C-alpha cells in the first residue's frame, strides 16, 4: 500500500467562494505538477459540495462529506441523505468524527447506523475512532478502540469492509496542536489491525486503509507518515490552505 490517502476536513469553514477558490488553486497545482500518485479527498461543508465537485472535474481529486443521516429520505428536517451526497459527487463520507460525538451526542450505535447505510447506498465511510485525554491518561486506549470498532462495525460484512477507511484520531490531538507521536499512532494502528483480523481475516487486517488524524502539520507529517502501517492522514486545520495541505502530502514520501 504505497499509495497514501489524504483527506481534507474543512469542518465548518469556507463559504462557496472560498471553497471554489481552494479547488481552483488545488487544480492549478496538480496541473502544473502533473497530478499526484496519492488519493486525495476534499470534505467541504455540504453547501460547497456540488461547486467543489465541478471545479475538481478532471483532477482525480475526490469528494467526501463530513456527515450523513442514517435514513434514506423522509421527514428529518435539516438532515442530509446518502443519495443527496452522491448526487453532489461524493464518494466518501466521514462518520463518527469526535466533534460529532462530543457536540451532537453521536454514540457508537448511531455511528454504526451511518456506516451501514453509507455502505448500503454506495458511499465509502471514513470511520473515526480515538480515545479522549482522560481515557489516554487512564491508559485504556486499547479498550476504547476495541469497543468503538466492535460497535461501529457491527453487521458490516466481509464484502463491504474493503470500502471502509478507518481514521485513528486521538481526541486529545484534534485541533490542539498536540499530535500523537508516530510511535503512539503506529501502536494503535497495529492494535486496530489485530482487531480487524479477529473480526474479519488476516487479509482484511493487512489491506484495510487506516489513516491518522490530529494536529497534522507540514512540520510533523514526515515523521507521522513514516510507519508503513499508517496509510495516510485526515487533516483539519492544515487543510484549509492549499499550500500546507500540499506540503503535508509531499512530505509523506
Ligand atoms: P486537526 O483536525 O488537524 O485540526 O487537528 C483533524 C480532524 O479533526 O479531522
Amino acid at each position: 500500500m504505497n499509495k497514501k490517502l489524504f483527506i481534507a476536513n474543512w469542518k465548518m469553514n469556507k463559504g462557496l467562494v472560498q471553497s471554489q477558490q481552494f479547488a481552483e488553486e488545488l487544480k492549478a497545482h496538480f496541473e502544473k505538477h502533473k497530478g499526484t500518485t496519492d488519493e486525495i479527498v476534499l470534505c467541504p461543508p455540504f453547501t460547497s459540495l456540488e461547486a467543489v465537485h465541478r471545479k475538481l472535474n478532471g483532477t482525480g481529486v475526490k469528494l467526501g462529506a463530513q456527515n450523513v443521516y442514517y435514513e434514506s429520505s423522509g421527514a428529518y428536517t435539516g438532515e442530509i441523505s446518502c443519495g443527496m451526497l452522491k448526487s453532489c459527487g461524493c464518494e466518501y463520507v466521514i462518520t463518527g468524527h469526535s466533534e460529532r460525538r462530543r457536540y451532537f451526542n453521536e454514540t457508537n450505535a448511531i455511528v454504526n447506523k451511518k456506516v451501514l447505510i453509507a455502505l448500503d447506498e454506495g458511499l465509502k465511510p471514513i470511520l473515526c475512532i480515538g480515545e479522549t485525554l482522560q481515557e489516554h491518561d487512564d491508559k485504556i486506549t486499547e479498550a476504547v478502540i476495541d469497543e468503538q470498532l466492535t460497535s461501529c462495525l457491527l453487521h458490516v460484512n466481509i464484502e463491504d469492509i474493503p470500502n471502509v477507511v478507518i481514521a485513528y484520531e486521538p481526541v486529545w490531538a484534534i485541533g490542539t496542536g498536540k499530535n500523537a507521536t508516530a510511535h503512539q499512532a503506529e501502536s494503535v494502528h497495529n492494535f486496530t489491525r489485530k482487531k480487524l483480523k479477529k473480526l474479519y481475516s488476516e487479509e482484511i487486517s493487512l489491506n484495510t486503509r487506516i489513516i491518522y488524524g490530529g494536529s497534522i502539520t507540514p512540520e510533523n507529517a514526515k515523521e507521522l507518515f513514516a510507519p508503513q502501517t499508517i496509510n495516510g492522514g485526515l487533516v483539519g486545520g492544515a487543510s484549509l490552505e492549499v499550500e500546507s495541505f500540499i506540503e503535508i502530502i509531499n512530505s509523506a514520501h
Side-chain angles (χ1 to χ4, degrees):
M1 262 195 271
N2 281 330
K3 185 171 167 162
K4 292 203 189 272
L5 170 64
F6 292 97
I7 302 172
N9 175 15
W10 292 352
K11 310 191 180 185
M12 200 174 74
N13 293 294
K14 294 191 192 294
L16 199 53
V17 173
Q18 294 164 305
S19 301
Q20 286 171 310
Q21 272 168 359
F22 183 106
E24 273 167 18
E25 261 183 65
L26 191 69
K27 184 174 182 161
H29 173 88
F30 284 143
E31 275 168 1
K32 193 167 158 204
H33 295 88
K34 312 238 173 319
T36 164
T37 51
D38 293 312
E39 186 172 348
I40 314 292
V41 181
L42 298 188
C43 299
F46 290 138
T47 45
S48 295
L49 284 172
E50 206 240 335
V52 168
H53 178 61
R54 262 193 266 149
K55 293 278 179 202
L56 292 176
N57 188 22
T59 60
V61 177
K62 294 172 178 172
L63 194 69
Q66 297 173 20
N67 186 27
V68 69
Y69 194 52
Y70 53 75
E71 295 289 344
S72 298
S73 64
Y76 304 103
T77 302
E79 294 297 327
I80 303 281
S81 70
C82 290
M84 293 169 186
L85 297 180
K86 281 172 65 184
S87 75
C88 293
C90 286
E91 186 175 324
Y92 286 89
V93 61
I94 299 173
T95 54
H97 191 280
S98 69
E99 286 150 16
R100 302 285 327 162
R101 293 176 187 260
R102 181 168 166 204
Y103 302 124
F104 304 95
N105 304 319
E106 285 195 12
T107 59
N108 285 334
I110 293 175
V111 178
N112 177 235
K113 286 191 193 184
K114 294 186 174 192
V115 168
L116 288 172
I117 196 152
L119 289 167
D120 226 42
E121 303 208 356
L123 282 171
K124 295 176 183 160
I126 300 154
L127 169 61
C128 299
I129 56 171
E131 80 285 8
T132 61
L133 183 60
Q134 188 64 53
E135 291 161 343
H136 176 74
D137 290 346
D138 291 346
K139 302 197 172 13
I140 55 167
T141 297
E142 291 191 352
V144 171
I145 298 293
D146 191 273
E147 173 57 24
Q148 287 175 337
L149 289 168
T150 303
S151 308
C152 298
L153 292 175
L154 191 68
H155 305 308
V156 173
N157 62 39
I158 198 158
E159 287 76 38
D160 284 331
I161 193 78
N163 288 321
V164 177
V165 172
I166 295 176
Y168 169 54
E169 297 209 302
V171 180
W172 48 270
I174 297 175
T176 57
K178 197 177 159 212
N179 61 286
T181 61
H183 179 70
Q184 283 170 322
E186 190 180 16
S187 139
V188 177
H189 280 226
N190 286 337
F191 177 81
T192 302
R193 292 197 192 280
K194 260 191 245 161
K195 176 73 180 173
L196 289 171
K197 187 175 166 185
K198 259 191 244 161
L199 290 174
Y200 298 97
S201 69
E202 169 120 43
E203 197 192 337
I204 296 292
S205 104
L206 294 173
N207 294 331
T208 299
R209 290 182 297 173
I210 310 179
I211 61 177
Y212 167 80
S215 295
I216 300 172
T217 61
E219 290 73 38
N220 61 27
K222 194 175 164 63
E223 186 212 332
L224 275 169
F225 299 120
Q228 273 295 312
T229 189
I230 300 179
N231 305 125
L234 179 49
V235 189
S239 76
L240 292 172
E241 301 293 335
V242 171
E243 207 182 316
S244 52
F245 188 48
I246 292 289
E247 261 186 74
I248 287 171
I249 295 167
N250 289 343
S251 54
H253 292 284

